[in-house]
Amino acid sequence: MGVAVSSVVLTIGEMGTLVPLSGGPVRYSELFFDPAMAFANGWNQVCSYLVTIPAEVVAASILIEFWSSLSSAIWITVFSILILVTALLFIRIFGEIEFVFAMLKILLILGLNIMALVITCGGGPSGQSIGFRYWKDPGPFVQYLGIEGSLGQFLGFWSTLINATFAYAGVQNITLAGAETKSPTRAIPKATKRILIRIFVFYVLSIFMMGLVIPSNDPHLIHLTGTASQSPFVLAARRAGIPDIPSIINAAILTSAWSAGNSFMLFGSRILFGMAMQGHAPAFFARLNRFGVPYATITFFGAFMCLGYMVVSE
C-alpha cells in the first residue's frame, strides 16, 4: 500500500513541479488528458469534501466528549468557526498552523512507538517482557464475524485493508496549492521525495509496534467510542499499568481532526476555484478577497458544515 501511494504522490509531484496550478490533479486532468475528465473528477471531489469537512468537525466534537458532557452542537459550532476564520483570514499563516499541528502528531507517534518498545521489552510498571508473544498466541489473524477457517481470516484482513486505505485519502492533493506555494519548483519535489520515509515511520513502524503490545483478540478493540479510549496504544498502556495516556492521545487526536478540517477546506475550495477559472463551475466561485483567498468557495463549503448538526438529537 505504501509503495502504491508513493508512486501516486511522486507522479503528481512531477506534474505539480512542471505546472504548479491551483486545483492540483483536477487541473492536470484537463492539461494532460481531457477536459471532460477534469470536470467529472473535480465535481466528484467537491461533493466528497462537502461531506468530509462536516464529518471532521463532528469527529472533533466527539473527541471533546472525552472530557465534557456539554452538547455536541456547541463544539460543532466552535470548530466550524475556527476552520472558517483560519481559511478566510489567516491563510498567510495557514502553513505555520499546519506545521505546529504536524509537529504535535509526529511527537505523539514517536512517543507512542517509544512507549510500545518500552512495554514490549519489560520496562512498564508490571515489569513483564512481552516480546513477540502475541505474534504466536493468538496470532495476527482473527475470524471475521465468526466465519471459520481461512475465509474468515481473509475477510478480517480485507476489512482491515479497507480501513487502512482510507487513511491514505487525499495524498494526491499534495500539489493542490501549488500556485500559492513559495518556490514550488523546489518545495514540491522536496516534499514528494520524502513520502516513502514518512509512510514507513508513521504507518508501517506504528502498525508493527501495535502488533507487539496488544493481542489481536483483545475484546476492547471492537468497542468503538470515537475517542482515544479505543486506541490500541491506550489499551496497551492500560494493560501495562501506565496512567494518563488516554488524555494525552485524545488531545493530540483532537488537533489532528481540526487540522484535517483545515486541510480539507483548503483542498475543496482550491479545487472549486480552479474549476471556476476553467469554466467548469460558476464564475462566482472565482472571486477573491483582499488577501487573495477564494472567499466564495470557502463560504460555499462553510454552509455545508451545518450538516454536522445532524448528529445532535436535542
Side-chain angles (χ1 to χ4, degrees):
M1 183 66 70
V3 173
V5 170
S6 297
S7 301
V8 171
V9 174
L10 290 172
T11 304
I12 293 294
E14 286 189 19
M15 290 187 282
T17 304
L18 178 63
V19 279
L21 300 170
S22 287
V26 176
R27 300 288 296 279
Y28 306 149
S29 299
E30 178 165 9
L31 189 63
F32 296 111
F33 190 69
D34 188 86
M37 182 179 181
F39 179 87
N41 186 18
W43 280 109
N44 274 331
Q45 292 208 48
V46 168
C47 291
S48 171
Y49 288 122
L50 287 176
V51 176
T52 306
I53 295 172
E56 291 297 337
V57 172
V58 170
S61 69
I62 292 174
L63 290 167
I64 291 288
E65 291 177 5
F66 186 79
W67 301 293
S68 172
S69 59
L70 295 176
S71 171
S72 296
I74 296 173
W75 308 117
I76 290 171
T77 303
V78 169
F79 284 107
S80 296
I81 292 174
L82 285 173
I83 291 173
L84 282 173
V85 170
T86 302
L88 287 170
L89 303 179
F90 298 141
I91 193 63
R92 292 180 182 274
I93 61 171
F94 177 86
E96 300 300 325
I97 295 173
E98 288 303 301
F99 177 78
V100 172
F101 284 155
M103 289 302 299
L104 290 174
K105 287 183 278 190
I106 290 172
L107 291 173
L108 172 68
I109 294 172
L110 292 178
L112 291 176
N113 284 324
I114 293 172
M115 179 195 74
L117 181 63
V118 170
I119 291 174
T120 195
C121 292
S126 64
Q128 183 181 20
S129 177
I130 300 174
F132 289 86
R133 179 189 310 169
Y134 297 142
W135 285 33
K136 300 176 182 179
D137 181 24
F141 296 101
V142 177
Q143 310 303 133
Y144 185 66
L145 296 178
I147 300 174
E148 298 295 332
S150 57
L151 176 61
Q153 293 180 347
F154 171 76
L155 292 176
F157 161 76
W158 190 255
S159 66
T160 304
L161 179 65
I162 293 172
N163 289 329
T165 304
F166 180 77
Y168 291 101
V171 293
Q172 77 279 3
N173 292 328
I174 189 171
T175 63
L176 251 178
E180 302 172 62
T181 304
K182 185 178 180 180
S183 303
T185 54
R186 288 191 304 150
I188 293 176
K190 187 177 180 181
T192 54
K193 288 178 181 178
R194 296 175 178 175
I195 186 66
L196 190 59
I197 298 174
R198 292 197 291 267
I199 288 174
F200 175 78
V201 173
F202 302 133
Y203 286 80
V204 179
L205 181 61
S206 296
I207 295 297
F208 173 78
M209 297 308 299
M210 281 183 194
L212 292 179
V213 295
I214 190 79
S216 58
N217 63 352
D218 189 303
H220 296 94
L221 287 172
I222 60 174
H223 292 165
L224 302 180
T225 64
T227 66
S229 60
Q230 72 182 70
S231 166
F233 285 113
V234 170
L235 298 178
R238 285 176 174 170
R239 293 171 70 97
I242 303 175
D244 301 327
I245 291 296
S247 291
I248 296 173
I249 295 179
N250 203 70
I253 297 175
L254 178 62
T255 64
S256 208
W258 181 7
S259 172
N262 283 338
S263 298
F264 292 154
M265 178 63 79
L266 178 75
F267 294 164
S269 61
R270 276 18 176 216
I271 288 174
L272 188 55
F273 171 77
M275 292 173 64
M277 293 290 290
Q278 295 302 113
H280 295 322
F284 169 78
F285 291 122
R287 295 185 179 184
L288 302 174
N289 63 14
R290 64 190 182 91
F291 300 110
V293 175
Y295 71 90
T297 61
I298 293 172
T299 303
F300 177 70
F301 279 92
F304 279 83
M305 295 169 91
C306 295
L307 290 174
Y309 294 113
M310 293 177 67
V311 303
V312 182
S313 60
E314 297 180 356

